[in-house]
Amino acid sequence: MSTPLVNDFDHWIRTRFVDINTELEHRYFAQQRREEVSHVGDDLKTSLLEESGEFIRLLLGEGNTDEGFDSGFDLLGNVGFVLAACRRHEIDEHHSTLKNASALAMQLGASLGVVPRFASAHLETHNRAINGKYKTFTHLEDEKTFLDYNTRGVFGFVRASEALLHTLPLGISHPVTLDLLNVARVALQQVVENNTALFNELDVDRFFYNVRPYYKTHKVGRHEYRGANAGDFAGINVIDLLLGLCRGDDPYYSQLLVDKFLFMRPEEQLILRDCMRRTSLMDAFLNATEEERNASWFKPHLQAFLAVCEAHGETARQHHEQLISRFIESPAAKYELTKRQDMTASGPPLEILLAALQKLHDLRTAAPRDDIPTRYNDVQTLKGFL
Ligand code: HEM
């Protein structure tokens, strides 16, 4: 249940807010230097601040504390959209609208157990469509393309993670575990197909200049919160951990999880926490006794397991070598913006982020590296069992 004010604000977010952002994006994009946004469309920015400011002031007064989790989470998303749009339009963070928006976001985030900003769930897995239209920042076709495919990609990973979770009580030798491993592989192959379609359909410049800027790091209250990215759901890490390609005791990987927890909805946080203490499928196959290794189920199950690892590695290769390279690295280099501090959603300079993402890529593809604990040798041992 939501209050009439919450509903009116939601309507504004779905209509006026999108119109204003779209008009600003057209103006930025029409310039020679498309990354310059200050002093462009000041009239529109004033409308954005005044109109959203009135809703936020009233909402703060209303005190939205007792409307249930979903309503609170949705409202946090809407306030978060305003904060993110103001960051994108480089509006002074000391403006009273932003101060009130921060106060409301912190109240909501703290009571819900999530970060006080919009997270990717608000745009992807928990973004309700009304008559076919879900919430976006702009009317631009490329934003919709990006979100359609991101949402499909996330659900592909979620399907794979659910199949793997179902294998836990069954064990690696159960006949139905073979079916579940095949389900996981197919779901990951669908992520790959989906990413290929995104790669082909998304316009590089539109994405770079008019879509990504809404995902920047920004301040809420005293603290800076990294931007949302399509990875802020438990499923991807559930796959990493259950396959055994990444491990919770690896400080690089556990840091990544620690940083990510509050960007996920609480039910996702629980799933991930539970997974961190499970034995991975890789370890279960490595620990099989000689008697098990000689049984008829072993080789087909192991083959199916290795095919899931291969498919997961392929999604990582593609994300790194295609999506990041084409849509971030190349345009940043082409337009000589690589050194800009706000080039990445998480904040660090691009080359540092790319090196960190390379590690993740190497873990997921079980690449031969001796400086980080990839499972290259273990995968070779398992292949030797076939
Ligand atoms: C994270 C780029 C699409 C899944 C990231 C990051 C970047 C990025 C730069 C690191 C965020 C940061 O810290 O700054 C892109 C680009 C895409 C794209 C340019 C397309 C144009 C997708 C899609 C998925 C996805 C479709 C599938 C669900 C992830 C995941 C992470 C992530 C899981 C978190 C890190 C990880 O666990 O791998 N992405 N991404 N991305 N993205 Fe994407």
Side-chain angles (χ1 to χ4, degrees):
M1 275 300 292
S2 307
T3 68
L5 184 57
V6 169
N7 288 335
D8 290 349
F9 182 44
D10 188 72
H11 180 71
W12 182 85
I13 285 286
R14 289 172 186 268
T15 51
R16 267 293 283 166
F17 176 68
V18 189
D19 295 341
I20 293 172
N21 288 327
T22 308
E23 182 53 32
L24 281 166
E25 294 307 328
H26 287 321
R27 294 197 194 176
Y28 302 148
F29 201 74
Q31 302 176 113
Q32 184 104 43
R33 290 175 63 87
R34 292 166 171 164
E35 70 278 13
E36 289 298 335
V37 303
S38 52
H39 304 301
V40 180
D42 284 342
D43 50 331
L44 291 161
K45 290 174 186 166
T46 304
S47 303
L48 176 69
L49 283 168
E50 283 178 358
E51 293 175 33
S52 63
E54 183 60 8
F55 280 113
I56 290 166
R57 196 179 57 76
L58 294 171
L59 284 162
L60 256 183
E62 188 171 75
N64 189 271
T65 50
D66 201 21
E67 308 297 329
F69 180 87
D70 285 328
S71 165
F73 187 73
D74 212 46
L75 176 59
L76 171 61
N78 287 344
V79 181
F81 289 165
V82 172
L83 283 162
C86 289
R87 169 69 185 90
R88 188 279 173 271
H89 302 308
E90 295 181 11
I91 290 170
D92 180 7
E93 65 190 39
H94 300 295
H95 192 281
S96 61
T97 292
L98 289 177
K99 286 193 166 166
N100 284 342
S102 286
L104 185 56
M106 287 189 287
Q107 182 195 9
L108 288 163
S111 69
L112 299 167
V114 295
V115 282
R117 54 156 296 146
F118 94 83
S120 37
H122 292 112
L123 280 171
E124 296 163 10
T125 52
H126 291 74
N127 188 352
R128 174 173 293 280
I130 297 182
N131 195 18
K133 274 190 95 170
Y134 55 76
K135 287 186 262 189
T136 51
F137 285 101
T138 69
H139 293 296
L140 297 175
E141 198 49 38
D142 285 286
E143 186 185 358
K144 181 176 164 351
T145 302
F146 179 65
L147 289 175
D148 280 357
Y149 284 114
N150 268 359
T151 309
R152 291 194 182 108
V154 170
F155 281 125
F157 281 123
V158 170
R159 285 197 299 282
S161 70
E162 284 172 353
L164 295 178
L165 281 167
H166 287 310
T167 69
L168 289 175
L170 304 183
I172 55 170
S173 68
H174 194 294
V176 176
T177 290
L178 181 61
D179 305 10
L180 292 167
L181 290 172
N182 287 333
V183 168
R185 174 183 47 77
V186 170
L188 292 170
Q189 286 166 343
Q190 286 165 344
V191 172
V192 170
E193 284 165 22
N194 176 75
N195 285 353
T196 302
L198 175 61
F199 181 79
N200 291 331
E201 286 176 36
L202 190 66
D203 181 85
V204 175
D205 283 357
R206 276 289 181 192
F207 175 71
F208 189 76
Y209 284 112
N210 300 130
V211 179
R212 270 197 86 240
Y214 289 93
Y215 300 85
K216 284 179 181 176
T217 296
H218 65 71
K219 250 176 145 179
V220 185
R222 251 187 302 135
H223 298 294
E224 190 99 28
Y225 291 88
R226 74 155 170 84
N229 70 55
D232 291 334
F233 63 103
I236 180 95
N237 307 99
V238 168
I239 300 168
D240 292 339
L241 291 164
L242 291 188
L243 291 179
L245 292 166
C246 304
R247 287 183 285 200
D249 59 4
D250 166 7
Y252 160 73
Y253 191 74
S254 53
Q255 180 70 58
L256 186 143
L257 297 184
V258 167
D259 293 346
K260 169 168 171 170
F261 264 104
L262 294 180
F263 280 74
M264 294 185 291
R265 287 169 54 94
E267 69 270 23
E268 301 258 311
Q269 299 176 21
L270 288 179
I271 298 173
L272 192 50
R273 267 192 206 106
D274 182 56
C275 258
M276 290 185 74
R277 53 183 188 81
R278 301 291 186 155
T279 302
S280 71
L281 291 164
M282 176 130 21
D283 288 340
F285 278 106
L286 285 167
N287 294 335
T289 61
E290 199 170 335
E291 190 188 352
E292 285 174 314
R293 290 214 302 269
N294 290 326
S296 62
W297 63 269
F298 188 78
K299 283 187 183 172
H301 287 215
L302 177 57
Q303 213 142 24
F305 166 72
L306 289 171
V308 184
C309 293
E310 183 53 43
H312 191 47
E314 185 53 31
T315 66
R317 248 191 300 277
Q318 198 187 27
H319 184 259
H320 201 68
E321 291 168 14
Q322 295 193 349
L323 297 179
I324 293 185
S325 161
R326 177 175 167 86
F327 294 106
I328 297 180
E329 219 178 336
S330 303
K334 180 171 156 200
Y335 301 117
E336 298 179 345
L337 300 172
T338 312
K339 298 275 177 257
R340 264 182 79 138
Q341 284 297 312
D342 58 2
M343 200 48 56
T344 62
S346 52
L350 191 55
E351 66 262 35
I352 294 180
L353 175 75
L354 291 176
L357 290 172
Q358 179 72 45
K359 272 191 198 166
L360 204 49
H361 164 277
D362 290 349
L363 289 170
R364 288 183 177 142
T365 54
R369 270 183 77 156
D370 45 24
D371 55 335
I372 55 168
T374 74
R375 304 304 296 270
Y376 175 78
N377 290 331
D378 292 323
V379 169
Q380 300 314 307
T381 304
L382 288 176
K383 285 183 177 166
F385 292 162
L386 288 176

